Amino acid sequence: MDPIRVPPEMFRFPDGSKSGLPLAILHAFGEANERLETALGIDDIRRKLREAGWLETLDDGELVKALDQLRSQGHLDIVQSHAGDYRTASEYERRNLQYALTRQGEAAIAGLIRANEVLSATGALQTATLDALGDRLGALTRQLEDGTDKRVFSTLAEIEGHFEAFRDNTKRFNGDLQRLLRAEADLAAFHEVKASTVAYLQEFLNDLEHHTHTIATRLKEIGDYGAERVHRRALNGANLPSANPRWLEVRKARWDVLREWFLPEDGATPRVEDLHQVARRAIITLLQVLDRITESRRRASSSVADFRELARWFTVVPAQEDLHRLWSTMFGLSSARHAHLAHADPEVVSTTASWLDAPPVEVSELLRSAGRTERFTRTGRVRDVAAIRAARVHQAIEERAELEAAWNMLDTGGVVRLSAFEKLDHTVFERLLDLLGQALGSGPDASGARRSTTSDGQIEIILRPSRNGAVARLTTTSGVFRGPDYEIEISTAGGGA
């Protein structure tokens, strides 16, 4: 943004009892300018002042002095009316000279009106403005393809208007939000306002990401077309009376600001992300304030108020016994908890002996920390696990014996066919399948035989393929097994059975 420079006399009005008169005169000229009246005489100015609300008595000398003051500051200029018909010299002197606003005067009136609007306006984060901005950007994309230059100009003007409205509302809302965060005078008074503001911010953030993506996408499409070409077409459609390079500079500056907000050209973070961060921080701060409000409401009174109320009770309790009872109730003070403890041999201590003369009694440390004395009881009985251990040893011996018996039953004592095991118990059959699986999982040697041993090295199996393609059939207690009739040789470390 370029530095703001204004003439030093633009907003400098005379002080004194009539300090409101120059402002009223400018207001009157502004109202006349709305009705396309560019020059006013003394009588016209006096009439416009009454319409603007200036009801104080004002002679011609004071009015002319105020007009001359505004003229010296560059707000007004004196012009002559050559089209009038004057009957007398005094009428010529009164009606010939007229006052008109200068460019500086028009700017001063616009600045005052704008300042008054800012003082009375409240900001808002309107997703409707972002929706309209995205819609107009889409319309501009379509107009660039098959629209006229006049439609490009009007659509670009609408885009700039929506964007300026969004920026102004955002700045005002941020200012109002920061003032709300600093407002700590009466937390209860702002509870409803802050709660509604949190809900408002959360709803806005939910819609902001979608609108931001839409606007950025359409800005990229227009950027591919060329922003300079867009502004040139808009200039052709503006129908300006003469070439105005300043108009193109203003359009380019506003377009660059729009891109900085949603799609920066240098890959920087868009300004709308700052709006995300401000809204999130505001939500966290407001929730913390609301928690503090809820906590303060939950607590009926403070400690100071409680002690003051207790002091008032002590002043109204009549009897001494009631005072002691109130004291014990409020502060929990009672007799010592170890007063019931007795000596190990109570008979050696007289019941009438003073505590000062009686021997001391040992007090457990648990009485202070846990509020009870130590109690010694018998330890729990340890369970005898000898029987369980013996049963498990017996079970392991039986399982080992069954396994050895199965291996012995499978010991072939030489080369046999698989069909030689005509009928087997299911447990023995499972052992046989394990051996077959281990042998088939190993690679064949030069003769085509497959060799494998168990993990403990007690059993060895040699498996050779069947030569005639016969099929073996084994019967078990659970069913019938069919497979290739391999030549099998199973040997155990202890010999065959």
Side-chain angles (χ1 to χ4, degrees), residues 1-6:
M1 179 183 294
D2 296 334
I4 299 176
R5 297 184 178 90
V6 296

Side-chain angles (χ1 to χ4, degrees), residues 235-387:
L235 177 60
N236 295 333
N239 291 331
L240 297 179
S242 60
N244 190 352
R246 176 62 180 168
W247 191 90
L248 287 176
E249 294 178 2
V250 173
R251 301 284 81 74
K252 182 180 183 304
R254 293 184 177 180
W255 186 261
D256 292 341
V257 174
L258 177 61
R259 292 205 56 146
E260 288 178 3
W261 266 84
F262 297 98
L263 188 65
E265 295 182 355
D266 55 356
T269 303
R271 290 188 183 180
V272 72
E273 292 295 330
D274 297 336
L275 183 58
H276 271 277
Q277 299 298 329
V278 170
R280 291 191 184 98
R281 288 196 299 267
I283 289 175
I284 295 175
T285 305
L286 288 174
L287 289 176
Q288 292 174 349
V289 175
L290 291 177
D291 290 341
R292 189 161 63 249
I293 294 174
T294 305
E295 187 66 24
S296 62
R297 287 183 174 182
R298 186 180 302 166
R299 183 168 183 172
S301 60
S302 62
S303 300
V304 176
D306 294 341
F307 279 110
R308 287 176 178 173
E309 183 66 19
L310 179 60
R312 190 182 64 81
W313 290 355
F314 273 100
T315 59
V316 298
V317 173
Q320 189 73 14
E321 292 79 5
D322 296 333
L323 289 173
H324 286 289
R325 189 180 303 109
L326 178 61
W327 176 274
S328 300
T329 302
M330 296 306 300
F331 295 100
L333 298 179
S334 59
S335 58
R337 290 177 293 179
H338 65 277
H340 66 283
L341 299 177
H343 197 271
D345 190 0
E347 296 182 356
V348 301
V349 181
S350 174
T351 56
T352 59
S354 173
W355 285 5
L356 296 176
D357 302 331
V361 177
E362 183 178 357
V363 180
S364 173
E365 295 180 357
L366 290 176
L367 188 62
R368 181 187 179 109
S369 60
R372 58 183 177 83
T373 59
E374 295 178 345
R375 295 182 179 179
F376 298 97
T377 58
R378 291 188 302 176
T379 57
R381 186 176 181 181
V382 179
R383 185 177 58 171
D384 187 7
V385 296

Side-chain angles (χ1 to χ4, degrees), residues 8 11 19 119 125-126 160 164 181 226 235 254 286 288 344 357 422 436 465 473 490:
F11 299 107
S19 59
L119 288 174
L125 299 176
Q126 298 174 339
E160 292 180 355
E164 289 299 323
L181 295 177
L235 177 60
R254 293 184 177 180
L286 288 174
Q288 292 174 349
D357 302 331
E422 297 179 354
L436 291 174
R473 184 176 183 275
I490 302 176

Side-chain angles (χ1 to χ4, degrees), residues 131-316:
D131 193 11
L133 181 59
D135 179 71
R136 291 295 84 198
L137 285 171
L140 179 60
T141 304
R142 295 188 295 271
Q143 294 298 331
L144 293 176
E145 295 177 355
D146 54 4
T148 62
D149 292 345
K150 291 183 178 181
R151 293 298 300 167
V152 171
F153 165 73
S154 61
T155 306
L156 183 61
E158 292 176 0
I159 291 173
E160 292 180 355
H162 289 312
F163 179 60
E164 289 299 323
F166 171 73
R167 288 180 62 195
D168 293 342
N169 284 328
T170 300
K171 289 185 290 186
R172 292 196 194 111
F173 183 82
N174 185 45
D176 295 340
L177 181 61
Q178 301 307 319
R179 285 187 287 272
L180 178 63
L181 295 177
R182 294 190 297 267
E184 298 288 347
D186 186 6
L187 295 178
F190 292 99
H191 181 272
E192 297 298 331
V193 176
K194 292 181 178 179
S196 60
T197 303
V198 169
Y200 179 76
L201 287 173
Q202 290 175 340
E203 181 179 359
F204 175 76
L205 288 178
N206 291 335
D207 299 334
L208 180 60
E209 185 174 356
H210 169 70
H211 291 296
T212 301
H213 176 72
T214 301
I215 294 173
T217 302
R218 290 173 179 173
L219 283 175
K220 186 177 183 303
E221 295 175 356
I222 298 173
D224 296 338
Y225 182 85
E228 185 177 356
R229 294 176 59 189
V230 175
H231 296 152
R232 287 291 179 183
R233 292 188 59 180
L235 177 60
N236 295 333
N239 291 331
L240 297 179
S242 60
N244 190 352
R246 176 62 180 168
W247 191 90
L248 287 176
E249 294 178 2
V250 173
R251 301 284 81 74
K252 182 180 183 304
R254 293 184 177 180
W255 186 261
D256 292 341
V257 174
L258 177 61
R259 292 205 56 146
E260 288 178 3
W261 266 84
F262 297 98
L263 188 65
E265 295 182 355
D266 55 356
T269 303
R271 290 188 183 180
V272 72
E273 292 295 330
D274 297 336
L275 183 58
H276 271 277
Q277 299 298 329
V278 170
R280 291 191 184 98
R281 288 196 299 267
I283 289 175
I284 295 175
T285 305
L286 288 174
L287 289 176
Q288 292 174 349
V289 175
L290 291 177
D291 290 341
R292 189 161 63 249
I293 294 174
T294 305
E295 187 66 24
S296 62
R297 287 183 174 182
R298 186 180 302 166
R299 183 168 183 172
S301 60
S302 62
S303 300
V304 176
D306 294 341
F307 279 110
R308 287 176 178 173
E309 183 66 19
L310 179 60
R312 190 182 64 81
W313 290 355
F314 273 100
T315 59
V316 298

